[in-house]
Amino acid sequence: MAAGARRPARVFIDLDAIAHNARVLASLVAPARLCAVVKADAYGHGAVAAARAALEGGASELAVALVDEGAELRDAGIEAPILVLSEPGADAMAEVYSYGLVPTIYSLEGLALARRAARGRRLSRDAGPAPVEINLDTGMHRDGVDPEGLERLAPLLEDCRELELAGLWTHLAVAEETDREFTARQLERLGIALRLLSSLGISKPRRVHAANTAGAIAWPSSRLDMVRCGIGLYGYCPSPAVEAALSSQSAGGSADDLRPALSLSAQVSSVRDLKAGEAVSYGLKAPLAADSRVATVPLGYGDGIPRSFFTGGGEVLVKGRRRRLAGSVTMDQIMVDCEDDATVAPGDEVVLIGQQGGERLTANDWAGVLDTICYEVVTRIGPRVPRSYVRTGSAPRGEAARVGQSAGRGR
Ligand SMILES: *Cc1c(COP(=O)(O)O)cnc(C)c1O
């Protein structure tokens, strides 16, 4: 049994929302292909289930950050192409081809390791050269080879009979800021690199790609042969500007919206009625302004609710109303100020992300409170909270969220 599976706290993942989002993105970018980015356990959604749903919806392949993440997908029987987005170190690279993964390289060491791994492949299994992709740093300066380095790396790769250049790609640094010219400059540098390769007589990479979700939606010229979408698959636009770009390209119906796939809820474990002036939790930081019913809920910073959720004024839903925390987040529990609602009782559902009644809380609401981005909010919900997978069909958003929160539909 998974850690925490007996707790009255749960993440619900709507697999139909992920499939729907893949469908929306795939049709938006066609004829470019859609690669579903499922690194970091699919941003906290569960890599295997999310990958299957994305493939069902129209993704043609998958990407992960680590060889171990690719191995997890293969062990689960997933056969789609899988690209590893970072250059594996020696131990990981040694196994990359036995799992049928495509490594990214950007250094001479990476090239040597990939070559050794390709030589080590059992020949009976696959006789042709082994694929590698090169990540070109066009300005994000996180990883990738710079254009001068490419001039050295690419000819050496061309000379390796064991390897072939399956792709050349880059990563966009500011694509969610649609008013910044830097994205155009990055794409231009990618084009210059391609011309350089051709002037060196190097075989054309089989494909070229650059776009993340923001690029795929807001920068049509970045779609190239394939887009690599993570956050969009999980139902979020990276910024309001990207959201506006999406609605301006769609037919305008809600069928083209992205739908958040994740909701988080728990049941009230106990309640107590406290007098004005009393305070709760570590530090007794915030004396109650009035007599209040305070509900304890079994989720804490050990599950990915940061302590700054309280200081930033984060809210949760109880009986369809937004309620603030009454005190500091503890490791396993939070306390919610239900004010004068004396009907709140143990067992009541508390929604932290998702819909309840007419109210709705998203990872973006959390991101505003926590001074971060929705990516971090969903990704940090810890493994101690069990994931339940639900299918809500093509129901509109609200309906989907409600079904997603009714307990016990997990598989
Ligand atoms: C994480 C990642 C993506 C996906 O980005 P989103 O903004 O979530 O779509 C794409 N490419 C690379 C190289 C990444 O690291």
Side-chain angles (χ1 to χ4, degrees):
M1 177 172 276
R6 295 182 190 85
R7 287 168 94 194
R10 203 149 291 252
V11 168
F12 289 97
I13 306 294
D14 179 358
L15 296 176
D16 285 332
I18 295 177
H20 162 87
N21 297 332
R23 211 169 293 125
V24 168
L25 292 164
S27 77
L28 181 73
V29 304
R33 290 152 64 89
L34 172 65
C35 171
V37 179
V38 295
K39 62 190 179 185
D41 205 24
Y43 299 30
H45 292 65
V48 170
R52 289 207 175 104
L55 291 166
E56 181 192 311
S60 353
E61 58 186 274
L62 304 168
V64 293
L66 308 172
V67 169
D68 286 336
E69 293 175 331
E72 183 195 354
L73 299 173
R74 289 287 183 247
D75 288 343
I78 290 176
E79 291 176 354
I82 301 175
L83 174 63
V84 180
L85 295 169
S86 56
E87 182 178 278
D91 291 346
M93 190 73 94
E95 299 209 47
V96 78
Y97 294 121
S98 56
Y99 282 106
L101 312 175
V102 179
T104 292
I105 61 167
Y106 31 77
S107 71
L108 298 178
E109 301 79 67
L111 176 65
L113 292 172
R115 184 175 206 177
R116 192 178 312 155
R119 282 189 184 138
R121 285 191 310 170
R122 274 181 282 133
L123 286 176
S124 57
R125 235 189 107 170
D126 196 346
V132 295
E133 300 210 355
I134 292 181
N135 170 7
L136 178 71
D137 178 11
T138 57
M140 170 141 165
H141 304 325
R142 173 179 70 175
D143 51 14
V145 63
D146 59 26
E148 298 77 57
L150 180 69
E151 217 171 320
R152 287 190 298 279
L153 185 62
L156 290 171
L157 171 55
E158 179 84 357
D159 290 343
C160 283
R161 285 188 11 252
E162 303 89 341
L163 297 174
E164 72 169 329
L165 180 57
L168 178 71
W169 61 268
T170 193
H171 194 41
L172 303 176
V174 292
E176 62 282 353
E177 299 172 47
T178 56
D179 54 347
R180 282 178 73 173
E181 276 308 299
F182 193 73
T183 299
R185 186 152 348 136
Q186 288 194 266
L187 295 171
E188 199 178 293
R189 287 177 184 154
L190 183 60
I192 292 170
L194 281 167
R195 287 197 290 283
L196 172 89
L197 293 189
S198 122
S199 75
L200 294 172
I202 287 166
S203 347
K204 221 171 143 206
R206 271 196 283 150
R207 64 182 191 187
V208 182
H209 48 107
N212 50 10
T213 298
I217 294 173
W219 292 87
S221 63
S222 75
R223 290 172 189 160
L224 305 174
D225 297 319
M226 183 174 88
V227 303
R228 307 182 305 266
C229 292
I231 200 72
L233 279 178
Y234 309 115
Y236 286 95
C237 276
S239 68
V242 172
E243 198 154 354
L246 178 62
S247 44
S248 77
Q249 289 172 79
S250 69
S254 69
D256 300 323
D257 283 351
L258 298 178
R259 295 185 195 145
L262 178 149
S263 52
L264 172 65
S265 58
Q267 287 166 21
V268 170
S269 46
S270 65
V271 297
R272 64 209 72 229
D273 292 312
L274 300 175
K275 294 275 174 238
E278 291 194 86
V280 307
S281 195
Y282 293 120
L284 300 175
K285 291 202 169 128
L288 293 163
D291 294 359
S292 293
R293 178 156 289 195
V294 171
T296 299
V297 180
L299 283 169
Y301 62 76
D303 304 301
I305 305 173
R307 277 171 46 91
S308 50
F309 195 78
F310 166 62
T311 45
E315 293 174 320
V316 302
L317 303 178
V318 187
K319 299 215 173 280
R321 295 192 56 180
R322 291 174 174 256
R323 298 293 189 188
R324 292 211 164 187
L325 301 199
S328 297
V329 174
T330 73
M331 189 179 293
D332 313 304
Q333 297 170 91
I334 51 174
M335 281 129 279
V336 179
D337 183 353
C338 300
E339 300 183 21
D340 60 357
D341 187 348
T343 69
V344 177
D348 282 352
E349 178 196 63
V350 177
V351 171
L352 292 93
I353 297 175
Q355 180 150 344
Q356 192 186 56
E359 286 283 358
R360 186 175 141 81
L361 293 172
T362 69
N364 278 327
D365 293 317
W366 282 46
V369 167
L370 301 170
D371 190 23
T372 181
I373 53 177
C374 58
Y375 295 68
E376 188 182 1
V377 171
V378 291
T379 303
R380 78 197 302 177
I381 295 172
R384 195 171 68 164
V385 190
R387 267 66 175 164
S388 282
Y389 294 100
V390 295
R391 308 222 65 144
T392 56
S394 50
R397 252 187 201 176
E399 189 58 30
R402 269 195 297 284
V403 178
Q405 283 146 20
S406 67
R409 288 277 312 269
R411 297 190 305 190

